[in-house]
Amino acid sequence: MRFTLSQEQALLRDTVARLVRERFGFEARLKTLESAAGFDRDVWREFAEIGLLGAPFGEEVGGFGGGGVELMTVMRELGRGLLLEPYLASVVLAGSLIERLGTPEQCSDYLRPMIAGEALLAFAHGEPDSRYALEQVATRAVATSGGWRLDGRKSVVLHGGEANTLVVSARTAGAQDDEKGIGLFLLPCDAMGLSLHPYPTIDGLRAAELELDGVVIPAEAALGEPGTAYSAIEAAVARGLVALCGEAVGAMETCCDMTLDYLKQRKQFGVTIGSFQVLQHRMVDLRGLLEQARSMAILAAGRLDGERAERERAVSAAKNLIGRAGRTIAEESIQLHGGIGMTWEYALPHFAKRLVMIDHLLGDEDHHLDRFVMLERAASAAPPLSAVN
Amino acid sequence: MDLHYTPEEEAFREEIRDFLREKLPPELAAKVRGGKRLTKADHERWHAILSAAGYLAVNWPRAYGGTGWSPVQRHIFDEETAAAGAPAVLAFGVNMVAPVLMKFGTQAQKDYYLPRILDGSDWWCQGYSEPGAGSDLAGLKTRAERDGEHYVVNGQKTWTTLGQYANKIFCLVRTDPQAKKQEGISFLLIDMTTPGITVRPIITLDGGREVNEVFFDNVLVPVENLVGEENKGWPCAKYLLTHERTGIAGIGQAKAALQHLKSVAGRQLKHGRPLTEDPTFARRIARVEIDLMALETTNLRVIAEAQSGGAPGAESSLLKINGSVLRQEITDLLRRSVGPYALPFLSELMDAETNQTPVGPAEAAPLAAEYFNRRKLSIYGGSNEIQKTIVAKAILGL
Ligand SMILES: Cc1cc2nc3c(=O)[nH]c(=O)nc-3n(C[C@H](O)[C@H](O)[C@H](O)COP(=O)(O)OP(=O)(O)OC[C@H]3O[C@@H](n4cnc5c(N)ncnc54)[C@H](O)[C@@H]3O)c2cc1C
């Protein structure tokens, strides 16, 4: 076992850490929050220049060949600086799907420009009634003479309003909760019949509601074999979960650092509040949670490129633990800051908000706890491996 | 033991229900239920309705225009008004400065200020905290120097809730910098329109505008605005803080929030079924419901004790701790219940008048913001850590 980063991984981490130090100031963030795009295009360009947008992709598509550990490492650093940029939506989720299912033409038409920082992607999957269930797709894709017609609604599509191309899931067959029968389609953001309603999220990012009303697309817009996308979606979401776990750990580190500094510096009753034993113990508990969270992020990252059962078990376990730890660290760091922890002008509550909202992305702690139980049950019901092989 | 309300108390409950059915404007109740931000006019309107019915000052003696109600009646009133979606009465005038005036004020102060609280002439805010004096309230630095018939006030207060609407502020000021911390403090009533006062907003993490900084630059305050004796403000300050407030546990609000949680969660789907039927979520709701039953019973025990003449003591700290944690837990479940729809942040939708298009379930918009806003419950009014220290000392003798 080795828990240290390789030389290249450490270099990647240091590069991103430097970028975060130099470009992710809190004052600038407050301004960017208010801007039309909601993120900093210059920072995004720098991401492209240092190869960050290609970090998780294979070299054959113009990527950098990184795996789970690289992804977690990058996201952790970005989480420490509380990124606003659409890395999860564009690179991790939509990008992964194109890499996995795309034809060479699709990869060069959509993935390469994204990696180069010239275009943005988003993944439109969730629907008003699907909550966090990946198999719940009501949006329909009906074959027409020259291609497909899409009808339905997509909800809380991360950065849907900023993307040039949307990767949209739609059902070609089956009931609303069948894993089979789900297809993915590449949709330009200005497609006829598509209406987009973008809005800010409470943690400062952007999302959109989508309405697809008789959107007609050519056959080449299908990503992979229509009807068989579920396992690719699951794998892309697993990547998304590793990314979120990494980001959460970064945000937790900042919360813990800021809170510890505050305990050492804030004076009440003539002493620093960090000299009160009850607060010392609370801070120790937070550090304990942080270590647990770090371990789970590492575990999920390390299992990401392994076989499905092991991967899914690890990512669901990680997301559950990190959901719990994130909430506690967010709430406690606000509490230990007192009134100042409640203010917009101060960075800490923004980290806390992101931590709590990460639990609302790609499945919350309850969803992943249930899923963990289900995966266990499925594993023990399955015939022994020897019988399968 | 008898865990039932008396027939008289039940009759009183009916009376309050009738009053609410008749007098609570439905659009106001809808705003409160929908988690919309209340305007100054909304608060004033409800205060006026209560005042006209003689129900505003629930914990004042009759002699001053209060209800003279028993603690149980106050509890019933709290429960019914919250259940009906009535706005909470702002405590600063009615429940904070008024009892201090009744106990420590001059006859002239009582005659002037108390009726103005009842008729809505004055909107009070609380000038206790300062940047360097939060939990350590006695560490405050705002100075008041006697100059003939005036005090000259200089300094800064912070976290002043709804100070932007107030025309009066009650302040703790330091009148003797040489004395021991608690012994050089005075309690002053200050008119917010006096020259030299500046109010600056502090935006909270949820984007709300409910707290302020208040700056005093050579503000002249007539000496007759001193409450009690000079340098003897600390007992007033503590009396105000420990003064038994109706509903410190927030039972009425917690019950209303739990109802709201059940109805919101009942309309969300998980795997095609209402979220309230999901075993994991149902257990979460059940747990807060059980905690609330326990807290309500504890609250009633404390009230019954007060009713029979026992002095409410540090138990109110326990009620505050448990009550704030419970209400925070309910807002946590509310935000979770809407799943990904907790993310959209459409600030305008939290105001009643808006053309903004809602996203997702109509009731989802304020839930996450409210969850973040309610973090304050365990911070203000003496943080939960400070309450625990009070309990440790006063109840446990540690
Ligand atoms: C939304 C909001 C509204 C408010 N409204 C008003 C208002 O209208 N008027 C007004 O005067 N004030 C108001 N306050 C101020 C409030 O009373 C203070 O925030 C509170 O007393 C805590 O003080 P502080 O923020 O300075 O935190 P600090 O005192 O600095 O405390 C920071 C942390 O240390 C802990 N701590 C401090 N001392 C100890 C100790 N001895 N032992 C253990 N733990 C300790 C605290 O519990 C807290 O977790 C408001 C605050 C908020 C957030």
Side-chain angles (χ1 to χ4, degrees), chain B residues 203-224:
Chain B
I203 307 299
T204 44
L205 78 173
D206 55 321
R209 153 99 164 94
E210 63 180 70
V211 281
N212 301 271
E213 298 178 291
V214 182
F215 298 87
F216 298 87
D217 179 18
N218 288 320
V219 174
L220 294 183
V221 179
V223 286
E224 62 262 27

Tab-separated table of all heavy atoms in Angstrom, chain B residues 203-224:
chain	number	residue	atom	x	y	z
B	203	ILE	N	-25.264	41.872	5.219
B	203	ILE	CA	-26.011	40.861	4.482
B	203	ILE	C	-25.649	39.492	5.058
B	203	ILE	O	-24.480	39.186	5.262
B	203	ILE	CB	-25.682	40.903	2.975
B	203	ILE	CG1	-25.879	42.318	2.420
B	203	ILE	CG2	-26.517	39.890	2.188
B	203	ILE	CD1	-27.288	42.868	2.523
B	204	THR	N	-26.671	38.682	5.331
B	204	THR	CA	-26.386	37.369	5.914
B	204	THR	C	-26.102	36.325	4.821
B	204	THR	O	-26.332	36.577	3.640
B	204	THR	CB	-27.557	36.880	6.789
B	204	THR	OG1	-28.774	37.138	6.097
B	204	THR	CG2	-27.569	37.589	8.116
B	205	LEU	N	-25.620	35.181	5.229
B	205	LEU	CA	-25.170	34.146	4.284
B	205	LEU	C	-26.253	33.688	3.309
B	205	LEU	O	-25.957	33.221	2.217
B	205	LEU	CB	-24.584	32.938	5.036
B	205	LEU	CG	-25.521	31.916	5.675
B	205	LEU	CD1	-24.733	30.737	6.203
B	205	LEU	CD2	-26.369	32.496	6.741
B	206	ASP	N	-27.518	33.873	3.700
B	206	ASP	CA	-28.617	33.469	2.834
B	206	ASP	C	-29.050	34.611	1.929
B	206	ASP	O	-30.073	34.508	1.253
B	206	ASP	CB	-29.801	33.006	3.686
B	206	ASP	CG	-30.221	34.068	4.699
B	206	ASP	OD1	-29.326	34.722	5.268
B	206	ASP	OD2	-31.423	34.260	4.908
B	207	GLY	N	-28.294	35.696	1.934
B	207	GLY	CA	-28.635	36.834	1.093
B	207	GLY	C	-29.650	37.759	1.737
B	207	GLY	O	-30.068	38.733	1.134
B	208	GLY	N	-30.055	37.473	2.962
B	208	GLY	CA	-31.072	38.272	3.648
B	208	GLY	C	-30.493	39.544	4.235
B	208	GLY	O	-29.288	39.696	4.408
B	209	ARG	N	-31.418	40.471	4.540
B	209	ARG	CA	-31.008	41.752	5.099
B	209	ARG	C	-31.776	41.941	6.375
B	209	ARG	O	-32.844	42.524	6.396
B	209	ARG	CB	-31.337	42.833	4.051
B	209	ARG	CG	-31.607	44.253	4.555
B	209	ARG	CD	-30.427	45.099	4.406
B	209	ARG	NE	-30.652	46.541	4.508
B	209	ARG	CZ	-30.509	47.211	5.638
B	209	ARG	NH1	-30.324	46.589	6.780
B	209	ARG	NH2	-30.588	48.523	5.616
B	210	GLU	N	-31.288	41.378	7.461
B	210	GLU	CA	-32.011	41.532	8.719
B	210	GLU	C	-31.136	42.051	9.841
B	210	GLU	O	-31.643	42.404	10.895
B	210	GLU	CB	-32.666	40.202	9.121
B	210	GLU	CG	-31.666	39.085	9.390
B	210	GLU	CD	-32.345	37.782	9.788
B	210	GLU	OE1	-32.980	37.188	8.905
B	210	GLU	OE2	-32.241	37.376	10.950
B	211	VAL	N	-29.834	42.110	9.656
B	211	VAL	CA	-28.977	42.641	10.721
B	211	VAL	C	-28.179	43.845	10.213
B	211	VAL	O	-28.027	44.040	9.014
B	211	VAL	CB	-28.013	41.568	11.295
B	211	VAL	CG1	-28.723	40.666	12.271
B	211	VAL	CG2	-27.359	40.755	10.200
B	212	ASN	N	-27.703	44.618	11.170
B	212	ASN	CA	-27.042	45.882	10.837
B	212	ASN	C	-25.904	46.178	11.794
B	212	ASN	O	-25.860	45.645	12.904
B	212	ASN	CB	-28.041	47.039	10.988
B	212	ASN	CG	-29.254	46.872	10.110
B	212	ASN	OD1	-29.270	47.290	8.981
B	212	ASN	ND2	-30.275	46.205	10.646
B	213	GLU	N	-25.045	47.095	11.332
B	213	GLU	CA	-24.109	47.746	12.244
B	213	GLU	C	-24.692	49.120	12.553
B	213	GLU	O	-25.242	49.763	11.666
B	213	GLU	CB	-22.766	47.958	11.565
B	213	GLU	CG	-22.068	46.689	11.130
B	213	GLU	CD	-20.765	47.007	10.421
B	213	GLU	OE1	-20.816	47.542	9.297
B	213	GLU	OE2	-19.702	46.713	10.994
B	214	VAL	N	-24.538	49.552	13.784
B	214	VAL	CA	-25.019	50.887	14.142
B	214	VAL	C	-23.852	51.666	14.750
B	214	VAL	O	-23.220	51.206	15.705
B	214	VAL	CB	-26.187	50.811	15.155
B	214	VAL	CG1	-26.705	52.208	15.484
B	214	VAL	CG2	-27.316	49.955	14.601
B	215	PHE	N	-23.553	52.817	14.137
B	215	PHE	CA	-22.425	53.634	14.595
B	215	PHE	C	-22.935	54.867	15.328
B	215	PHE	O	-23.909	55.489	14.897
B	215	PHE	CB	-21.582	54.072	13.396
B	215	PHE	CG	-20.972	52.911	12.651
B	215	PHE	CD1	-21.678	52.274	11.640
B	215	PHE	CD2	-19.710	52.453	12.988
B	215	PHE	CE1	-21.128	51.190	10.964
B	215	PHE	CE2	-19.151	51.373	12.308
B	215	PHE	CZ	-19.862	50.734	11.305
B	216	PHE	N	-22.265	55.207	16.428
B	216	PHE	CA	-22.624	56.388	17.212
B	216	PHE	C	-21.450	57.359	17.204
B	216	PHE	O	-20.356	57.009	17.647
B	216	PHE	CB	-22.924	55.995	18.664
B	216	PHE	CG	-24.096	55.059	18.780
B	216	PHE	CD1	-23.924	53.684	18.662
B	216	PHE	CD2	-25.370	55.556	19.014
B	216	PHE	CE1	-24.998	52.822	18.766
B	216	PHE	CE2	-26.456	54.699	19.128
B	216	PHE	CZ	-26.276	53.326	19.004
B	217	ASP	N	-21.710	58.553	16.681
B	217	ASP	CA	-20.655	59.539	16.604
B	217	ASP	C	-21.132	60.808	17.320
B	217	ASP	O	-21.935	61.565	16.782
B	217	ASP	CB	-20.358	59.804	15.108
B	217	ASP	CG	-19.273	60.852	14.920
B	217	ASP	OD1	-18.524	61.113	15.888
B	217	ASP	OD2	-19.200	61.408	13.801
B	218	ASN	N	-20.659	60.994	18.553
B	218	ASN	CA	-21.097	62.127	19.384
B	218	ASN	C	-22.611	62.292	19.397
B	218	ASN	O	-23.132	63.368	19.112
B	218	ASN	CB	-20.439	63.429	18.915
B	218	ASN	CG	-18.961	63.449	19.279
B	218	ASN	OD1	-18.588	63.013	20.367
B	218	ASN	ND2	-18.140	63.930	18.366
B	219	VAL	N	-23.287	61.222	19.725
B	219	VAL	CA	-24.748	61.241	19.754
B	219	VAL	C	-25.219	61.762	21.115
B	219	VAL	O	-24.804	61.246	22.158
B	219	VAL	CB	-25.300	59.828	19.485
B	219	VAL	CG1	-26.813	59.797	19.668
B	219	VAL	CG2	-24.917	59.375	18.088
B	220	LEU	N	-26.059	62.786	21.100
B	220	LEU	CA	-26.534	63.385	22.354
B	220	LEU	C	-27.826	62.705	22.808
B	220	LEU	O	-28.827	62.723	22.106
B	220	LEU	CB	-26.798	64.882	22.160
B	220	LEU	CG	-25.569	65.763	21.866
B	220	LEU	CD1	-25.975	67.225	21.764
B	220	LEU	CD2	-24.510	65.586	22.952
B	221	VAL	N	-27.760	62.141	24.021
B	221	VAL	CA	-28.923	61.443	24.560
B	221	VAL	C	-29.316	62.102	25.888
B	221	VAL	O	-28.492	62.192	26.794
B	221	VAL	CB	-28.596	59.945	24.790
B	221	VAL	CG1	-29.796	59.225	25.361
B	221	VAL	CG2	-28.113	59.300	23.511
B	222	PRO	N	-30.556	62.581	25.989
B	222	PRO	CA	-30.975	63.241	27.234
B	222	PRO	C	-30.797	62.318	28.441
B	222	PRO	O	-31.061	61.116	28.325
B	222	PRO	CB	-32.471	63.529	27.007
B	222	PRO	CG	-32.700	63.386	25.546
B	222	PRO	CD	-31.639	62.492	24.999
B	223	VAL	N	-30.380	62.870	29.572
B	223	VAL	CA	-30.131	62.004	30.745
B	223	VAL	C	-31.389	61.287	31.202
B	223	VAL	O	-31.309	60.218	31.796
B	223	VAL	CB	-29.508	62.761	31.948
B	223	VAL	CG1	-28.060	63.074	31.695
B	223	VAL	CG2	-30.298	64.013	32.278
B	224	GLU	N	-32.563	61.863	30.919
B	224	GLU	CA	-33.778	61.167	31.383
B	224	GLU	C	-34.008	59.852	30.613
B	224	GLU	O	-34.897	59.086	30.947
B	224	GLU	CB	-35.022	62.065	31.340
B	224	GLU	CG	-35.419	62.574	29.977
B	224	GLU	CD	-34.915	63.999	29.716
B	224	GLU	OE1	-33.880	64.384	30.320
B	224	GLU	OE2	-35.542	64.712	28.914
